[in-house]
Amino acid sequence: MSDGTLRVDIDGATATLILDNPAMRNAVTEAMWQQFEAVLEHLDANDAVKVLVVRGAGTHFSAGADISAVQRILHDPATGHNDGGDITIAEEALARFRKPTIAAIDGYCVGGGWQIAGACDIRLASENATFGITPARIGIVYPLSGIRRLVQLVGPATAKYLLFSGDFINAADGVRLGLATKMLGIATFWEDVAAFANHLGRRSQFSIQSQKDLINTISGGAPEAALAERNAYWQREMAAAEDPRIGIAAFLAKEAPQFSWLRPSAQPAAGADEPDWSSGPGPDSHLP
């Protein structure tokens, strides 16, 4: 059986992270879950990359975690990873990725595949998308990280319906229930996803990344004091950034702004309440 892989393609300012295991409808194997952190660290360090699209190879997003190894993936006694194990580690790495992320969902987006999509900032679904959150079909406890994110996105009543039933739902119902942000026509789906990613790449990355961080802080239930500190950090960054001056000047001149901000100017002290933007290894255009 193939272990599958994560593959990265870069086109301009957009990186595409591809779940590449088409023989298994892009089921995510143990080896694939374990690649997420390193791949995302490379993409974080590459300042040419401004937007990340996550998709499956071929005609499906992902059929979920590899069922043949799911117990080991969820609870790995060798590493001490429990309550989601490698799945939760990968999901959280994607959720805290500082750049904007788009899940491009075609075909099946099921189980652990939904955790990947749910960890992205925006979910664009084709008319052919099918969603399912299916632990009740195989008698397992869905990882707490996935349950928490599901409740945040769709509310407790809908989360219970999806988790208790394990039923598959179509793209239109996925949008209605909050699993997807928007449904797009299949004929131009990939062109529309690319156009939207390029659209985000032209916006101020300072505005996007600071507001992503603040939204995540709010939705994570941080106390008001911690939220105020995080906001104060970004206000200081805004005072030093060129993007506000570039944007205002372009608006007054009726020109398209050419924003220049890429990352915070200073590293917060370790252990501080402000975000830690420590970067990983150098950039790469194709990762194993």
Side-chain angles (χ1 to χ4, degrees):
M1 181 187 302
S2 170
D3 281 340
T5 191
L6 300 187
R7 180 162 52 85
V8 175
D9 291 336
I10 296 179
D11 182 8
T14 301
T16 302
L17 175 59
I18 302 167
L19 311 174
D20 194 353
N21 193 11
M24 297 175 62
R25 293 179 175 172
N26 298 317
V28 185
T29 64
E30 184 177 17
M32 291 169 71
W33 290 114
Q34 293 171 351
Q35 292 172 35
F36 269 86
E37 280 194 302
V39 169
L40 292 169
E41 285 178 355
H42 277 77
L43 294 174
D44 177 275
N46 186 347
D47 285 335
V49 170
K50 296 180 179 179
V51 182
L52 176 64
V53 173
V54 182
R55 60 164 292 180
T59 58
H60 295 286
F61 185 81
S62 173
D66 177 8
I67 298 300
S68 67
V70 72
Q71 288 185 298
R72 185 172 67 250
I73 295 169
L74 289 170
H75 303 283
D76 187 349
T79 62
H81 298 156
N82 293 304
D83 186 27
D86 290 328
I87 295 177
T88 294
I89 292 169
E91 176 193 356
E92 295 296 350
L94 182 56
R96 67 174 179 265
F97 188 68
R98 66 184 174 91
K99 303 174 186 182
T101 54
I102 302 166
I105 304 166
D106 188 28
Y108 283 113
C109 178
V110 177
W114 159 252
Q115 284 187 254
I116 295 170
C120 292
D121 300 316
I122 296 168
R123 284 160 296 285
L124 301 179
S126 83
E127 295 170 325
N128 288 346
T130 297
F131 297 93
I133 304 177
T134 53
R137 287 175 175 251
I138 57 174
I140 64 170
V141 178
Y142 205 56
L144 182 59
S145 57
I147 296 174
R148 180 183 291 113
R149 189 159 283 113
L150 180 65
V151 171
Q152 289 173 343
L153 289 170
V154 306
T158 299
K160 289 175 183 177
Y161 161 68
L162 294 166
L163 286 165
F164 293 2
S165 71
D167 289 346
F168 292 155
I169 62 173
N170 62 27
D173 284 340
V175 172
R176 180 176 60 83
L177 295 176
L179 293 176
T181 311
K182 188 174 183 179
M183 183 175 69
L184 302 173
I186 188 60
T188 59
F189 178 66
W190 296 111
E191 293 87 346
D192 290 343
V193 169
F196 183 68
N198 290 335
H199 179 60
L200 294 189
R202 291 190 295 269
R203 296 303 195 196
S204 166
Q205 297 308 298
F206 172 77
S207 292
I208 289 176
Q209 292 185 31
S210 60
Q211 289 162 168
K212 174 175 177 171
D213 180 70
L214 291 170
I215 291 168
N216 289 347
T217 302
I218 293 167
S219 63
E224 282 299 316
L227 178 59
E229 287 186 21
R230 189 66 60 93
N231 183 54
Y233 170 80
W234 286 114
Q235 293 296 325
R236 293 194 297 273
E237 285 292 311
M238 185 168 67
E242 289 296 321
D243 272 18
R245 288 176 280 279
I246 293 170
I248 292 169
F251 178 84
L252 294 174
K254 298 182 179 180
E255 298 173 348
Q258 301 297 317
F259 293 113
S260 62
W261 189 93
L262 297 173
R263 59 174 58 239
S265 60
Q267 299 283 344
D273 288 331
E274 297 169 348
D276 179 4
W277 296 117
S278 56
S279 60
D284 201 338
S285 62
H286 183 86
L287 300 171

